[in-house]
């Protein structure tokens, strides 16, 4: 069983994330979508529990994918689970520069843990969770950008625009 992890802050999970997760699920036997904290940059529109629940709903159609939450270092979690790879999406050169550094930090923490970088689909490469949060704050329709599960959650009327 070759297990890969798709890590992120998923605040919230977007269709770009989901595209990446579906591609990872075709490359590996099992995939864990792991909700982590993005350190000091984590602004937290959704609580970690909400992010996890939205991820679970968004991947419920994928039999070899599950979601989890971890409050710690990604490499420590990967070692605990025996994962062989991290799968990340790359939209731009800036993403690549960052992911290159993260890949070798994570390799240093758990020797041999591979980072697989997949080019983001052109359909979603301009979009980000940051933009989603901005649009949510201004009550825009996010159907073209977010998984149906997230859109439904927003339609319930919870005030995430705080
Ligand atoms: O979706 P994001 O915000 O780009 O995801 C970034 C994330 C959460 C994957 C990254 O910040 C991370 O790996 N956080 C966990 C802490 C960690 O392992 N840091 C690297 C070693 S210092």
């Amino acid at each position: 069983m070759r297990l890969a992890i798709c890590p992120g802050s998923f605040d919230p999970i977007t269709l770009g994330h989901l595209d990446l997760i579906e591609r990872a699920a075709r490359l590996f036997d099992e995939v864990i979508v792991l909700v982590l904290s993005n350190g000091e940059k984590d602004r937290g529109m959704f609580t970690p529990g909400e992010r996890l629940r939205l991820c679970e709903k968004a991947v419920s159609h994928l039999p070899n994918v599950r979601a989890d939450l971890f409050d710690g270092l990604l490499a420590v979690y990967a070692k605990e689970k025996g994962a062989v790879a991290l799968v990340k999406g790359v939209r731009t050169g800036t993403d690549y520069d960052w992911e290159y550094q993260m890949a070798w930090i994570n390799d240093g923490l758990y020797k041999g843990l591979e980072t697989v970088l997949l080019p983001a689909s052109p359909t979603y490469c301009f979009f980000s969770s940051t933009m989603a949060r901005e649009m949510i704050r201004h009550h825009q329709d996010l159907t073209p950008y977010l998984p149906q599960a997230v859109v439904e959650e927003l339609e319930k009327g919870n005030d995430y625009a705080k």
Side-chain angles (χ1 to χ4, degrees), residues 7 55 61 86 123 130 133:
C55 286
H61 62 295
L86 308 175
T123 314
T130 306
R133 292 195 296 274

Side-chain angles (χ1 to χ4, degrees), residues 52-74:
L52 173 63
R53 193 164 47 83
L54 293 175
C55 286
E56 282 171 341
K57 285 189 177 177
V59 302
S60 61
H61 62 295
L62 301 168
N64 62 336
V65 179
R66 62 187 191 278
D68 199 4
L69 178 64
F70 188 65
D71 184 17
L73 292 181
L74 171 55

Side-chain angles (χ1 to χ4, degrees), residues 7-10 17 36-39 72-75 88 102 105-106 109:
S9 37
F10 300 112
H17 290 130
L36 288 155
S37 162
N38 187 355
L73 292 181
L74 171 55
K88 305 269 199 94
M102 292 298 279
I105 286 289
N106 285 320
L109 291 165

Side-chain angles (χ1 to χ4, degrees), residues 142-161:
L142 281 115
T143 308
Y145 306 115
L146 300 185
Q148 192 54 31
V150 183
V151 173
E152 282 167 14
E153 181 66 30
L154 295 171
E155 281 170 356
K156 281 184 191 165
N158 293 334
D159 188 15
Y160 294 109

Side-chain angles (χ1 to χ4, degrees), residues 1-152:
M1 275 291 170
R2 297 178 73 75
L3 168 69
I5 296 174
C6 289
S9 37
F10 300 112
D11 187 30
I13 185 169
T14 67
L15 283 177
H17 290 130
L18 192 55
D19 176 68
L20 184 83
I21 293 161
E22 287 171 347
R23 289 158 67 194
R26 291 195 285 273
L27 292 173
F28 292 91
D29 299 312
E30 277 185 58
V31 171
I32 296 177
V33 176
L34 186 62
V35 179
L36 288 155
S37 162
N38 187 355
E40 291 163 6
K41 283 193 281 178
D42 201 336
R43 297 184 56 190
M45 172 174 268
F46 295 86
T47 67
E50 286 166 344
R51 297 178 206 186
L52 173 63
R53 193 164 47 83
L54 293 175
C55 286
E56 282 171 341
K57 285 189 177 177
V59 302
S60 61
H61 62 295
L62 301 168
N64 62 336
V65 179
R66 62 187 191 278
D68 199 4
L69 178 64
F70 188 65
D71 184 17
L73 292 181
L74 171 55
V76 169
Y77 180 94
K79 190 173 187 176
E80 260 176 40
K81 297 289 176 184
V84 296
L86 308 175
V87 180
K88 305 269 199 94
V90 176
R91 290 166 298 192
T92 60
T94 309
D95 276 359
Y96 178 81
D97 289 346
W98 175 249
E99 294 303 345
Y100 181 87
Q101 295 175 52
M102 292 298 279
W104 292 111
I105 286 289
N106 285 320
D107 176 84
L109 291 165
Y110 175 21
K111 214 70 207 146
L113 178 64
E114 288 290 358
T115 295
V116 176
L117 299 180
L118 298 181
S121 156
T123 314
Y124 305 115
C125 69
F126 64 92
F127 197 72
S128 66
S129 295
T130 306
M131 293 175 191
R133 292 195 296 274
E134 192 72 18
M135 288 175 68
I136 291 167
R137 278 190 201 100
H138 295 280
H139 308 286
Q140 296 300 301
D141 175 26
L142 281 115
T143 308
Y145 306 115
L146 300 185
Q148 192 54 31
V150 183
V151 173
E152 282 167 14

